[in-house]
Amino acid sequence: MQQEIQKFGRTLSAMVMPNIGAFIAWGLITAIFIDSGWWPNEHIAQLVSPMLKYLLPLLIAYTAGKNVAGLRGGVIGAVASMGIIVGSDIPMFMGAMIMGPLAGWCIKRFDRLVEGKVRQGFEMLVDNFSLGIIGMLLAIVGYLFIGGVVSWLVEAASAGVNFLLAQKLSPLLSLVVDPCKVLFLNNAVNHGIMTPLGIEQVSEVGQSMLFLVDPNPGPGLGILLACWVFGRENTRQSAPGAVVIQLFGGIHEIYFPYVLAKPVLLLAVIGGNICALLFCTLFDIGLVAPASPGSLISIILMAPKGKTILAILAVVVGTAVSFLLSSPMIRRSPDFQDDVDEEPQEKPSTDGVLGGVIRKIVFSCDAGMGSSALGATTFRKRLQQAGIAIEVINTAVNDIPSDADVVVCQQVLSERAAQRVASVGGHAQIVNIKNFMKDAALDDLFVQLKGNVCSGVKEQEEEKDAKATPQEVLQADGIVLGLSSEPKEAAIRRAGNCLVALGYVDDVYADSMLEREKLATTYMGMGLAIPHGTSEAKAGVRSSGIVVLQYPEGVDFDGEKARLVIGIAGVGDSHLEILSHIAEALDDETVLEQICTTNDKQQIIDILR
Amino acid sequence: MISKEVILAASEGLHARPAGELVKMVKGLAPAKVTLTCGAKTVNAASMLSVLSLGLKSGSSIVVGAEGDNAQEALTQVVQFIASLS
């Protein structure tokens, strides 16, 4: 059931969200240039009405039609909606949201009916005229009939909302909206319902309180502040960053995990929002246009002239009340986030929990613009710093491309993600996380990817069906930086896998590296370990080479910590030479320290060559 | 400082395992200080990395040096160890 609601909501907001920028443009023009604006200018103010009546609904209709039937659907959606727009007095947002998909559906059916039946050379003719004629008919129907129906519906809905507002009951909206929010239905609710209704209001009275129901960062901020002050350890660690993102970035998804971890916090959010809305009701505060994202900055920008301070106060009120309510809850169990963050995660084996070559990672959230963008940017930076070249993008759950190798999303959305992947014939593996910025699952993914750098090379070479013998003893692909600690067997195996992947040795040699370690430790002191194969396995060496694994936190070698694990393979006597060369280079403590901490692969190559 | 020359007969040279054992032994011989010289290079025999850096191949001629308390005893043991490597 939740899925269906999410889907429906998603469809609604998919019509509106891509056009938010246009709404903001309109909102800014309105806020600045109308009579009661910041800088009245009756010439520029002429833009307000036509934009509201024509531009915005047409954009929605175009987007809606496009979502159904591609560009063609978009065009006919716009054409058809012209009918209802002209045929009614009020701005036809709802109408566009109906006509757009309807028109798209019509043209889609038509196209399917004539598929394959069109004579050669007549395709373009049929395409253009079918759209033209059907569009015309829909526009006329819209003008004559649908316009009236929708007008009536919208007026009924507006009347309902107005009633609530008049009776000062609008704070009750929070009871519906906020639970929807934490279940990731906020985009659906906000853009699918509030925004269109809000715009109607704005055209009547110049502002709408509806624009403050969902986008107010206050209530969520209160929770985050309480976590910061009263939380412990993990809870407290992630709070400051989240505060900034919530208040200024306006990405509210950042506080959902906290509420989901401790559902009673929802009461604090609702309480905060109710009070904020009461405040707005009392002082007649609203916004001129949707504040998207729900950031303090957008709210300031979208406040009507003379009410900016009041709008800010509405945020403050929401924050304060939510903070007061959530503090005792958090104080009672300050470690609740530990349940969220520290679910026992198995250390990935070097054979890889995620199989295959990973070239594209997709972060997904409901709308594809806020939290997923945040997660993607953070992770992309992390990979870049480790020198791993993997594409990281963000999309809405419904837009996951078929060539995604890994999809990262929050647990609530993972079923939808899986469905989407299946429906586009994809092969992506889903990684569930709780927190887009800092999460154990993301850390594990990161370690996987670092290990896979070498096995990735292996898979590609297997595809080419010929392993080229490497020319250089040390190459960039043979260096892996910033690895997280793992048991020494895993580290040795990782080194072995790298040597195999790069073509220096056969699997036999890699196996013997573990054998050799059992005979006598390869830990040399000074934080350096040099695993290599047994003399029996020497035949398995195809070409002399080394791989360098950097573990800033060290790998335990029987009580000693190795920060550098250098896997060695030497043909014949060159084994000794390589050993000697490395030993010589690293005998200097400063040089050793450099290699253990650097982010620059080239530096390591230069030192060891 | 007393010293003695010894030829490394080990077929695979002084690789990691024997080097490790040698270094361990030398550390146990403290307070004597032991050095290894091959060609022009002299290194402290108690540092694994330094010993490895000599890259001692089979047939190399090594001069073992020792000084301090216990020097004679240390010298004898180290020379014996290297000579016994095969």
Side-chain angles (χ1 to χ4, degrees):
Chain A
M1 176 60 176
Q2 189 195 340
Q3 290 266 3
E4 264 114 46
I5 299 184
Q6 266 187 2
K7 238 194 216 156
F8 178 65
R10 183 75 192 95
T11 319
L12 287 185
S13 59
M15 301 177 199
V16 177
M17 288 215 73
N19 301 306
I20 292 287
F23 280 86
I24 292 184
W26 177 83
L28 285 174
I29 294 180
T30 310
I32 301 175
F33 299 111
I34 59 174
D35 277 348
S36 49
W38 291 93
W39 193 12
N41 179 324
E42 58 180 46
H43 296 289
I44 301 185
Q46 291 180 78
L47 284 171
V48 174
S49 237
M51 278 177 96
L52 181 65
K53 181 156 180 180
Y54 298 103
L55 176 67
L56 298 179
L58 282 176
L59 278 177
I60 292 185
Y62 177 81
T63 311
K66 179 150 119 32
N67 288 347
V68 171
L71 284 181
R72 247 167 99 66
V75 173
I76 200 175
V79 170
S81 303
M82 220 24 206
I84 49 164
I85 290 174
V86 174
S88 60
D89 298 321
I90 56 176
M92 273 281 118
F93 293 100
M94 293 298 192
M97 286 164 96
I98 297 176
M99 270 322 254
L102 178 64
W105 180 84
C106 285
I107 202 68
K108 201 170 174 186
R109 294 252 75 191
F110 178 85
D111 286 344
R112 215 173 279 169
L113 276 173
V114 301
E115 205 172 297
K117 299 186 190 138
V118 176
R119 258 180 75 165
Q120 221 179 12
F122 281 81
E123 295 91 344
M124 188 163 164
L125 186 69
V126 171
D127 270 353
N128 286 344
F129 274 86
S130 61
L131 197 152
I133 296 177
I134 298 181
M136 172 192 78
L137 292 173
L138 285 172
I140 296 177
V141 167
Y143 177 83
L144 291 176
F145 305 111
I146 305 190
V149 172
V150 177
S151 281
W152 182 85
L153 277 174
V154 171
E155 284 187 12
S158 299
V161 174
N162 283 333
F163 173 76
L164 275 184
L165 288 174
Q167 302 297 324
K168 316 279 188 196
L169 287 177
S170 47
L172 292 181
L173 282 171
S174 164
L175 285 173
V176 174
V177 172
D178 284 305
C180 285
K181 261 180 97 155
V182 293
L183 293 174
F184 289 88
L185 296 172
N186 58 320
N187 284 319
V189 169
N190 199 23
H191 298 297
I193 303 174
M194 298 282 180
T195 301
L197 285 181
I199 297 266
E200 313 272 0
Q201 282 212 308
V202 171
S203 62
E204 280 170 41
V205 294
Q207 67 176 42
S208 171
M209 202 177 78
L210 292 178
F211 290 141
L212 279 172
V213 177
D214 175 72
N216 189 342
L221 182 64
I223 306 244
L224 294 175
L225 286 177
C227 286
W228 194 359
V229 175
F230 298 112
R232 261 198 296 194
E233 295 288 3
N234 286 335
T235 320
R236 183 185 234 152
Q237 241 183 28
S238 39
V243 163
V244 173
I245 292 175
Q246 166 84 1
L247 182 59
F248 296 108
I251 298 177
H252 298 189
E253 278 89 342
I254 202 96
Y255 80 81
F256 297 173
Y258 294 82
V259 174
L260 289 172
K262 196 172 172 59
V264 71
L265 286 175
L266 189 58
L267 293 177
V269 174
I270 294 180
N273 212 4
I274 290 184
C275 291
L277 289 173
L278 268 175
F279 183 79
C280 292
T281 319
L282 284 174
F283 290 93
D284 191 28
I285 314 168
L287 296 180
V288 170
S292 173
S295 134
L296 182 64
I297 302 176
S298 353
I299 289 185
I300 291 178
L301 286 173
M302 293 299 148
K305 180 175 176 187
K307 300 217 172 160
T308 318
I309 308 284
L310 286 174
I312 298 179
L313 282 179
V315 176
V316 173
V317 168
T319 312
V321 174
S322 160
F323 179 79
L324 288 171
L325 287 175
S326 55
S327 296
M329 296 178 200
I330 292 181
R331 237 202 263 157
R332 217 182 301 142
S333 53
D335 293 328
F336 73 95
Q337 189 73 346
D338 293 348
D339 299 328
V340 177
D341 278 347
E342 286 188 357
E343 271 167 29
Q345 300 267 5
E346 281 166 23
K347 275 283 178 242
S349 69
T350 22
D351 292 331
V353 172
L354 294 177
V357 181
I358 296 179
R359 276 184 268 254
K360 190 172 199 168
I361 302 180
V362 177
F363 277 70
S364 294
C365 67
D366 190 44
M369 285 172 31
S371 41
S372 60
L374 171 68
T377 312
T378 316
F379 202 67
R380 192 183 300 127
K381 249 198 230 151
R382 216 171 152 187
L383 289 179
Q384 269 169 3
Q385 277 171 355
I388 302 176
I390 295 183
E391 193 186 346
V392 180
I393 62 170
N394 65 291
T395 68
V397 170
N398 284 14
D399 292 328
I400 297 174
S402 54
D403 61 345
D405 296 308
V406 174
V407 170
V408 179
C409 66
Q410 268 161 316
Q411 226 138 27
V412 195
L413 296 171
S414 53
E415 214 183 300
R416 271 173 66 193
Q419 280 174 4
R420 162 72 186 177
V421 169
S423 75
V424 293
H427 57 276
Q429 300 165 73
I430 318 265
V431 172
N432 282 328
I433 58 169
K434 300 231 159 53
N435 190 326
F436 269 109
M437 296 216 302
K438 181 175 138 59
D439 194 286
L442 280 179
D443 293 334
D444 285 342
L445 177 63
F446 189 50
V447 173
Q448 291 282 310
L449 293 173
K450 276 202 271 207
N452 281 2
V453 168
C454 291
S455 16
V457 176
K458 177 181 186 176
E459 307 248 359
Q460 283 171 26
E461 292 196 350
E462 273 175 11
E463 283 162 24
K464 290 188 208 148
D465 224 13
K467 269 198 201 168
T469 325
Q471 302 300 322
E472 300 279 6
V473 169
L474 174 59
Q475 45 178 292
D477 279 336
I479 302 180
V480 187
L481 302 173
L483 290 161
S484 308
S485 288
E486 50 187 355
K488 77 169 180 185
E489 286 80 13
I492 294 175
R493 192 163 269 298
R494 188 185 292 271
N497 287 347
C498 278
L499 285 169
V500 173
L502 292 167
Y504 292 114
V505 304
D506 291 332
D507 292 306
V508 172
Y509 188 88
D511 292 330
S512 79
M513 285 169 79
L514 282 166
E515 290 301 313
R516 168 62 179 81
E517 186 65 25
K518 287 189 197 146
L519 284 178
T521 184
T522 55
Y523 180 74
M524 297 285 110
M526 314 284 283
L528 169 67
I530 47 167
H532 49 277
T534 56
S535 352
E536 288 84 29
K538 262 220 157 95
V541 178
R542 301 149 121 243
S543 164
S544 296
I546 66 172
V547 292
V548 179
L549 306 179
Q550 185 201 67
Y551 291 88
E553 271 139 50
V555 171
D556 180 73
F557 271 76
D558 312 313
E560 305 269 10
K561 275 237 177 315
R563 285 192 297 161
L564 271 186
V565 173
I566 302 186
I568 303 183
V571 168
D573 273 338
S574 62
H575 182 98
L576 260 187
E577 274 176 38
I578 297 178
L579 262 184
S580 139
H581 190 78
I582 294 178
E584 225 176 341
L586 299 181
D587 208 2
D588 183 336
E589 262 185 42
T590 38
V591 171
L592 184 59
E593 186 64 26
Q594 252 190 324
I595 300 196
C596 286
T597 50
T598 185
N599 277 336
D600 182 2
K601 287 189 185 183
Q602 191 55 44
Q603 214 180 14
I604 298 187
I605 295 179
D606 291 332
I607 293 176
L608 288 178
R609 243 201 206 133
Chain B
M1 163 84 112
I2 47 177
S3 55
K4 186 148 181 209
E5 190 181 342
V6 58
I7 307 281
L8 179 64
S11 53
E12 290 176 0
L14 193 74
H15 59 103
R17 187 146 49 95
E21 286 167 16
L22 175 65
V23 170
K24 205 165 150 191
M25 178 181 27
V26 167
K27 286 195 180 146
L29 289 170
K33 288 206 190 74
V34 181
T35 59
L36 297 179
T37 307
C38 182
K41 201 166 165 193
T42 303
V43 300
N44 174 7
S47 158
M48 176 76 107
L49 280 183
S50 309
V51 168
L52 282 177
S53 76
L54 282 180
L56 296 167
K57 295 215 230 322
S58 176
S60 316
S61 161
I62 311 172
V63 175
V64 183
E67 68 177 353
D69 299 344
N70 236 4
Q72 187 54 61
E73 172 74 20
L75 186 62
T76 316
Q77 281 204 15
V78 173
V79 169
Q80 210 167 26
F81 176 76
I82 296 178
S84 70
L85 292 172
S86 57

